Each structure stands twice: as structure tokens, then as C-alpha cells.
Amino acid sequence: MMINKKKISKLLLGLITLILFLIVLFPFFIVVINSAKSSLEIITNPIALPSRWGQLIDNIINIWTNPSINYASSVYASAIITVLSLLFISIFSAMAAWVLVRTKTKVSNFIFLIFISGLVIPFQVVMFPLVSLFRIIGNNLNIQLLRSYQGMIFAYIGFGAPLAVFMFHGFIKSIPYELEEAALIDGCSKPRIFFSIIMPILKPIFVTICILNAIWIWNDFLLPSLILGIGQPLQTIPLAISAFAGSFVKKWDLIMTAALMAAAPIIIGFLFGQKHIIKGMVSGSIK
């Protein structure tokens, strides 16, 4: 009797998992099939399979050669902003977490709490003050932060550092301090200890933080729309995709194809790094 109950519970669990999987996958399925259609086909029947999969290649060529959005420059801008943001977020957050863990004072605990408070403050609360602050800095200090790479990278560092510091902090606490003491006895400096000993140990967390933040930064629309503006020469991929949706005409074939092209690198990166994400999340939360 108990065996039958276990089999039934496993069967129900598997069925629920399958249903949830299909629900989550359905929007991506819609994007894939509609990216290989013309606008007329999408409007006629958006859930039907495409009549000609070769239309996907035509849509991709149309996007890359469309002079109104310059998709290639948007890919370049997104790549520059994402890579530099990930580099600064991961390295600076690891340094900050390492110092906070090894400096056991009330001040370090207070600074750590300030970092953690950044996790509970909604972005919508600070987005307009942030834009105003960037404008004031540009007018008074002549440091261009609006409609610039540095402004986007600076903003992403600020919003991405709290979670990164929290995860690094939890992992570094599990690293024996005796390793660092032995290195100090051998004459290693603090920077060499961090880059030669601590950073290699933090590899799972580095991969986790980079992939999670890459998904967020690459797909983000709201922050670039505030700092860069829509329709400006400098724009990221989500802003470029929004250019296909005009006030009177929406090019659904190009919107779907561009969305698929933008999602492809993130999906590939996630598939290759998913085991590191799980390992890093568990290590950072438990240890």
C-alpha cells in the first residue's frame, strides 16, 4: 500500500513538473515559431507553425541590414556594457566582501548591512532621483553619465553589488583564515593573497554572479531607457527591439526575430553554466 502511494505521489509530482515546464516554455515557443513568419502570418494565426522556416533567415537579414535601428551597434553596446559591468561587479564585490569578512568590527558589520539594504529597496523608488543625480553631476562636474557607457556601467555596479557582496560574504566565511596567515608568513602582500589564493577559491560564486547579472543586464529595458533614452544613437538591444513597435505599425516578425536573437546568447550561457549557478547559490547561502 505504501509503495503504491509513493508511486502515485511521484507520478503526480512528475505531472505537475511537466505542466509547469510547458507553461514556462510556452512563451519561448511562441517567440520561436513566430520568428519564422511574416507579419501577416503572425496576425492571422500566432500559434500555428510557420509555413516556411526559411523566413527566419530573411528576418535576420532584414534586422541586420535595417538602417533605422543599426542593430549591430546595439549588439556592440550591449556587449560592452554587460562585460564591463560584470567585471567590475564581480571583482569589486569580492574585494569588499573579503575585507568585510576579515575585518570583524562594528563598522564592518554596519557597512555590510548597508549593502544588504540595497536588496530590499525597489529600483522604481530610486530611478527618477538617479536620473536627476546623473544630470546634476553632468552639469556641475562635466562628467557625462546620461547617454553614455560610463553612466550605464556605474548604475549597474550600484544595483548589482548588494547581491554579489551578500553571496561572496557567505562563501568567504567558509574559507579558513589559516591559508591567508600562511601566505602572510611567506611574505605575500594583501593584493597577492586576494588574487592568488582567494579568487581561485571563489570561482563557483564568480560564475554564478556573472551569469545571473548577465541575464539581468543583457535583457534590461527600464534602466537603459532612463539613462540612454529611446531613439538615441547609443542604445542596447532591448531598446533597439522597441524601435520595431511604432505608434501605428508594429513589425511583429522583426520583433519576434530580434527577441530570439537577443535571448540566444543568454540561453547558451545559462545551459553551459547552470551547474555552477546551483553550486554557487547553495555555497553562498549555506556556508
Side-chain angles (χ1 to χ4, degrees):
M1 189 67 180
M2 290 295 295
I3 297 176
N4 291 333
K5 288 184 177 181
K6 288 183 179 179
K7 288 183 177 180
I8 293 173
S9 61
K10 288 183 179 180
L11 182 62
L12 289 175
L13 183 61
L15 182 61
I16 293 172
T17 303
L18 178 62
I19 293 172
L20 292 176
F21 173 75
L22 293 176
I23 292 174
V24 172
L25 196 64
F26 184 73
F28 182 72
F29 170 75
I30 293 297
V31 171
V32 171
I33 63 174
N34 286 316
S35 63
K37 297 179 182 178
S38 63
S39 292
L40 181 60
E41 286 183 280
I42 295 174
I43 295 172
T44 303
N45 194 347
I47 62 174
L49 293 176
S51 59
R52 187 176 67 90
W53 285 99
Q55 182 66 38
L56 175 61
I57 305 299
D58 297 337
N59 291 341
I60 293 175
I61 295 174
N62 194 359
I63 290 172
W64 279 102
T65 57
N66 194 317
S68 62
I69 65 167
N70 198 355
Y71 192 80
S73 67
S74 300
V75 173
Y76 175 78
S78 289
I80 292 295
I81 292 172
T82 302
V83 171
L84 293 181
S85 298
L86 293 179
L87 181 65
F88 290 130
I89 288 173
S90 57
I91 293 179
F92 290 168
S93 298
M95 289 179 175
W98 180 55
V99 172
L100 292 175
V101 170
R102 298 311 184 201
T103 308
K104 298 179 180 179
T105 62
K106 292 183 178 179
V107 176
S108 63
N109 293 332
F110 178 72
I111 295 174
F112 179 66
L113 290 177
I114 292 177
F115 274 108
I116 298 303
S117 66
L119 295 174
V120 299
I121 299 176
F123 168 71
Q124 291 78 8
V125 174
V126 298
M127 59 182 186
F128 290 116
L130 176 67
V131 175
S132 299
L133 177 62
F134 280 10
R135 185 177 293 109
I136 292 172
I137 292 175
N139 294 335
N140 294 281
L141 300 180
N142 200 23
I143 300 176
Q144 187 65 29
L145 295 178
L146 292 176
R147 296 178 176 81
S148 64
Y149 287 109
Q150 57 267 25
M152 288 300 307
I153 295 171
F154 185 75
Y156 280 130
I157 292 173
F159 288 112
L163 178 61
V165 170
F166 174 74
M167 295 181 64
F168 279 126
H169 191 277
F171 193 90
I172 292 174
K173 287 167 64 176
S174 67
I175 300 176
Y177 183 63
E178 288 76 11
L179 292 175
E180 300 174 32
E181 288 181 333
L184 286 172
I185 294 173
D186 290 339
C188 289
S189 61
K190 289 286 186 179
R192 186 176 179 185
I193 291 175
F194 176 78
F195 288 104
S196 300
I197 298 176
I198 302 300
M199 278 192 65
I201 300 176
L202 295 178
K203 180 183 175 181
I205 297 293
F206 266 102
V207 175
T208 302
I209 290 173
C210 286
I211 293 178
L212 293 178
N213 282 300
I215 296 172
W216 159 51
I217 296 172
W218 186 267
N219 295 321
D220 189 26
F221 176 82
L222 183 55
L223 187 58
S225 66
L226 293 172
I227 295 179
L228 300 180
I230 298 176
Q232 300 297 323
L234 177 59
Q235 57 182 355
T236 58
I237 291 178
L239 298 182
I241 295 175
S242 68
F244 292 123
S247 301
F248 304 100
V249 178
K250 291 179 174 59
K251 302 177 182 179
W252 289 112
D253 53 342
L254 301 185
I255 292 175
M256 293 297 178
T257 305
L260 180 63
M261 293 167 60
I266 297 299
I267 293 173
I268 295 172
F270 180 83
L271 292 176
F272 279 102
Q274 58 181 335
K275 68 175 183 178
H276 295 287
I277 294 178
I278 297 172
K279 182 179 178 181
M281 292 291 287
V282 173
S283 301
S285 60
I286 295 178
K287 292 184 178 180

